[in-house]
């Protein structure tokens, strides 16, 4: 009978690094991840989390390099592929980002965030029907996912399906990415469901019109 494997000294360093990372002490976390990589350059978790740190710092190119390595080392990690997709997206490599999101989804078919970000990349690449399908898949997994509602609405609007898209576009007021709040105007909101005929509409911002 074989002896139980002793924990690696790097396991304790990784645990400490993750604790710093989750607590927002990013410089301490980075220092410890780098310490691990000096001793074990192919350490998946350290590479992955260093890539996430680069993403957080708005540095997509280093993130692409680190997360590319991570996915080669541990190709069965859906989160590594998802984060790789985010990095590629940030670097403007949308086709590669879509492929990375698809890899995450193959490994984890209920990865709502991967579907949602795939939808965004597809819309920005002119793949509107595909974007609509991806956002719809994200919402099938998580019906309350605000960002997916917003991506679905934008795909619908781009396809000219205003009666479906405009009400859903109201989700933007609840999105964490949008700090603005809706203005209160004493006129009914036009939702694309009635003909305007000869009436005048007031458009005071994109996607919001009053009759």
């Amino acid at each position: 009978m074989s002896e139980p494997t002793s924990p690696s000294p790097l396991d304790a360093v990784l645990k400490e690094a993750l604790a710093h990372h989750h607590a927002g002490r990013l410089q301490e976390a980075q220092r410890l991840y780098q310490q691990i990589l000096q001793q074990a350059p192919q350490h998946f978790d350290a590479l992955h989390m260093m890539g996430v740190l680069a993403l957080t710092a708005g540095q997509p190119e280093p993130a692409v390099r680190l997360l590319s390595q991570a996915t080669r080392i541990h190709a069965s990690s859906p989160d590594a592929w998802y984060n790789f997709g985010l990095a590629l997206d940030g670097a403007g490599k949308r086709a590669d980002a879509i492929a990375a999101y698809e890899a995450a989804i193959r490994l984890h078919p209920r990865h709502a965030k991967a579907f949602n970000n795939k939808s965004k990349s597809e819309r920005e690449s002119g793949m509107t029907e595909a974007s609509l399908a991806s956002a719809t898949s994200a919402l099938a997994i998580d019906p309350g996912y605000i960002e997916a509602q917003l991506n679905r609405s934008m795909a619908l609007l781009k396809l000219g399906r205003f009666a479906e898209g405009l009400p859903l576009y109201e989700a933007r007021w609840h999105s964490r990415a949008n700090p603005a709040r809706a203005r209160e105007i004493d006129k009914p909101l036009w939702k694309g469901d009635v003909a305007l005929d000869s009436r005048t509409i007031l458009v005071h911002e994109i996607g919001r019109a009053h009759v």
Side-chain angles (χ1 to χ4, degrees):
M1 183 175 178
S2 61
E3 293 294 324
T5 305
S6 300
S8 162
L10 294 181
D11 292 343
V13 180
L14 177 64
K15 184 177 179 180
E16 185 181 353
L18 292 171
H20 283 303
H21 197 156
H22 295 151
R25 297 185 292 272
L26 303 185
Q27 288 185 335
E28 274 301 303
Q30 182 177 21
R31 181 181 64 78
L32 292 171
Y33 293 141
Q34 288 172 336
Q35 180 181 322
I36 293 169
L37 290 171
Q38 285 170 0
Q39 298 179 55
Q42 300 296 302
H43 194 288
F44 165 75
D45 290 306
L47 285 167
H48 184 193
M49 299 317 294
M50 278 286 286
V52 172
L53 278 180
L55 271 176
T56 304
Q59 299 172 339
E61 294 293 348
V64 166
R65 177 177 54 79
L66 289 159
L67 291 162
S68 175
Q69 286 181 262
T71 54
R72 286 198 299 270
I73 292 164
H74 189 7
S76 60
S77 168
D79 287 340
W81 281 106
Y82 169 69
N83 287 320
F84 188 28
L86 292 179
L88 290 162
D89 234 340
K93 300 175 180 178
R94 292 200 181 96
D96 291 336
I98 291 167
Y101 295 137
E102 287 172 345
I105 291 163
R106 282 194 297 273
L107 292 163
H108 180 12
R110 293 186 61 79
H111 202 307
K113 288 184 177 180
F115 273 115
N116 180 58
N117 282 277
K118 178 171 174 276
S119 171
K120 178 176 177 291
S121 294
E122 287 166 337
R123 188 184 72 253
E124 291 172 349
S125 301
M127 302 162 61
T128 311
E129 292 282 2
S131 173
L132 177 59
S134 294
T136 301
S137 294
L139 288 169
I141 297 163
D142 181 0
Y145 193 172
I146 298 297
E147 281 70 23
Q149 291 175 20
L150 188 54
N151 276 324
R152 186 170 190 272
S153 75
M154 288 191 282
L156 287 165
L157 292 172
K158 199 166 182 180
L159 291 167
R161 293 163 60 177
F162 301 116
E164 296 170 82
L166 282 173
L168 200 56
Y169 194 54
E170 293 298 290
R172 72 194 184 282
W173 302 119
H174 307 286
S175 171
R176 288 171 294 179
N178 179 18
R181 290 293 174 264
R183 298 180 190 177
E184 295 300 327
I185 293 181
D186 188 24
K187 294 292 179 184
L189 185 67
W190 183 62
K191 299 181 179 179
D193 52 348
V194 293
L196 293 174
D197 299 323
S198 59
R199 285 179 287 181
T200 300
I201 63 169
L202 168 65
V203 180
H204 61 92
E205 61 186 279
I206 294 173
R208 203 167 173 85
H210 296 263
V211 244

